[in-house]
Amino acid sequence: MPPPSPLPQRHGLDAAWVCTPERSQHPLWQTMGAWLDERLSEFVDVAGFLAQERFVYDTGAAVGGRDPYRPYTFVWFHRDLAEETVVPGPIHLIYRDDRIVVIDKPAFLSSIPRGRHVVQSVVVRLRAALQLPELSPLHRLDRVTSGLLVLSTERRWRGAYQSMFQRHEVEKTYRALAPLLPGLDLPVTVRNHLTTRRGRWQAEVLPGVPANAESLIALESVIDGLGSYRLTPRTGRTHQLRVHMLGLGIPISNDPLYPVVQDVPLDDFTRPLQLLANELRFIDPIDGGVRQFASLRTLPLRSEVS
């Protein structure tokens, strides 16, 4: 693990780092600049970064391109960020104390900085807004899913709360809009084995394998000709509710991945997935208090483009 970063966060993001290997692995490296050019030129303008003193050692001193090569040395820097379209819709602050933050996020906002969604993520936006540099999510919520997300305020609290989610001690309730299917006997518990494969957008059901995913699905009402379903996941596999609804013949409305992958532009925010992380309930692992939260959003979820 690297030592503490000498650079502060920028845009709510920690500085990136690289570490030099021992010289014997590549005797041609005579300078730090030569190593940085070979290691990072595919990703950043190494010459420009060196000229602007944007590479620093763990002391905070700038790396010089002609500095003699140093084995086992950490170098820190901030990458340039690509422009991103602002995701519409407010992040509602539902609850905050010294240990956790609970928010209600809009569809299309990534929970964590990832791929082409960096600044437009819950973590980056809220670290700056709440002045919590160690803020991090305690569970997953798909980018296209709306609703409740719990985050820890500091690294020291993360383990206790993450373990609670991993042990399935958090009661989660989702609501979804999907077609009505005459003859479908509900409520029903769906159990199967879900897996994901690198390079594929969709999760897959593996037949004949012990179940690792379980959801209780019930029909509550009818809204605008669609069923309003109450979904209670008892596990937390990737895309679990979306796959389970599809398997029943009632795919969730506006789903860009199921039943078929759709080519939706990243800046098209007009058709939010009709899936809402609606309620959360758990016993706080630190003080034993009952925590219960509800989303401010309701179905049907409307486009939040102004």
Side-chain angles (χ1 to χ4, degrees):
M1 292 296 294
S5 172
L7 296 175
Q9 288 183 341
R10 191 180 70 174
H11 304 302
L13 291 170
D14 294 328
W17 59 268
V18 289
C19 184
T20 59
E22 58 179 309
R23 182 190 298 273
S24 61
Q25 295 183 18
H26 200 308
L28 299 181
W29 293 324
Q30 298 300 318
T31 65
M32 292 297 290
W35 176 77
L36 285 166
D37 186 66
E38 182 169 321
R39 176 69 175 79
L40 293 176
S41 60
E42 182 181 352
F43 311 102
V44 302
D45 175 11
V46 171
F49 274 41
L50 287 167
Q52 298 169 42
E53 299 188 340
R54 292 180 59 179
F55 292 119
V56 302
Y57 297 113
D58 54 17
T59 61
V63 177
R66 296 183 179 180
D67 290 353
Y69 179 81
R70 307 178 188 178
Y72 303 121
T73 299
F74 286 92
V75 174
W76 305 81
F77 62 100
H78 281 293
R79 294 184 175 92
D80 291 324
L81 300 177
E83 291 188 11
E84 299 177 43
T85 303
V86 176
V87 175
I91 302 175
H92 297 301
L93 181 61
I94 302 295
Y95 176 80
R96 177 180 180 179
D97 63 23
D98 291 340
R99 300 185 298 272
I100 63 171
V101 170
V102 183
I103 60 99
D104 183 357
K105 87 170 187 70
F108 306 111
L109 185 65
S110 179
S111 297
I112 60 174
R114 186 175 183 180
R116 288 177 287 181
H117 309 284
V118 179
V119 173
Q120 292 304 308
S121 66
V122 170
V123 164
V124 171
R125 282 170 55 169
L126 288 188
R127 278 180 176 174
L130 301 180
Q131 298 185 336
L132 292 172
E134 295 182 357
L135 189 73
S136 61
L138 296 167
H139 59 110
R140 293 186 303 234
L141 198 61
D142 291 341
R143 185 181 73 90
V144 292
T145 302
S146 309
L148 298 177
L149 183 68
V150 186
L151 307 97
S152 61
T153 60
E154 298 178 43
R155 190 175 293 111
R156 59 176 170 154
W157 305 119
R158 196 178 304 165
Y161 288 95
Q162 279 186 330
S163 296
M164 173 188 68
F165 280 93
Q166 292 165 357
R167 294 192 298 265
H168 310 301
E169 295 173 353
V170 180
E171 298 176 22
K172 301 178 185 178
T173 302
Y174 290 69
R175 258 80 183 186
L177 288 182
L180 295 165
L181 184 60
L184 180 60
D185 188 16
L186 297 175
V188 65
T189 297
V190 181
R191 298 183 184 90
N192 52 25
H193 189 101
L194 297 182
T195 188
T196 56
R197 288 194 287 172
R198 184 182 297 273
R200 289 184 61 89
W201 291 101
Q202 295 177 321
E204 300 176 70
V205 176
L206 294 185
V209 181
N212 65 357
E214 179 178 329
S215 307
L216 174 64
I217 297 172
L219 177 64
E220 288 193 318
S221 62
V222 177
I223 299 176
D224 298 334
L226 294 171
S228 176
Y229 296 88
R230 177 187 177 96
L231 315 178
T232 308
R234 291 170 179 157
T235 54
R237 312 301 297 185
T238 299
H239 297 176
Q240 175 177 315
L241 295 174
R242 299 161 72 178
V243 175
H244 283 177
M245 291 288 281
L246 175 64
L248 293 175
I250 47 173
I252 298 173
S253 296
N254 296 349
D255 196 326
L257 294 183
Y258 302 94
V260 296
V261 177
Q262 301 175 31
D263 186 15
V264 180
L266 288 177
D267 59 355
D268 184 351
F269 307 124
T270 59
R271 291 171 53 83
L273 175 69
Q274 297 299 308
L275 178 62
L276 175 65
N278 186 239
E279 298 173 11
L280 282 172
R281 185 181 186 279
F282 57 87
I283 305 299
D284 191 291
I286 305 298
D287 63 20
V290 177
R291 305 283 180 255
Q292 188 163 345
F293 309 104
S295 171
L296 299 180
R297 291 178 163 87
T298 58
L299 297 178
L301 297 164
R302 309 291 186 185
S303 170
E304 301 197 52
V305 178
S306 57

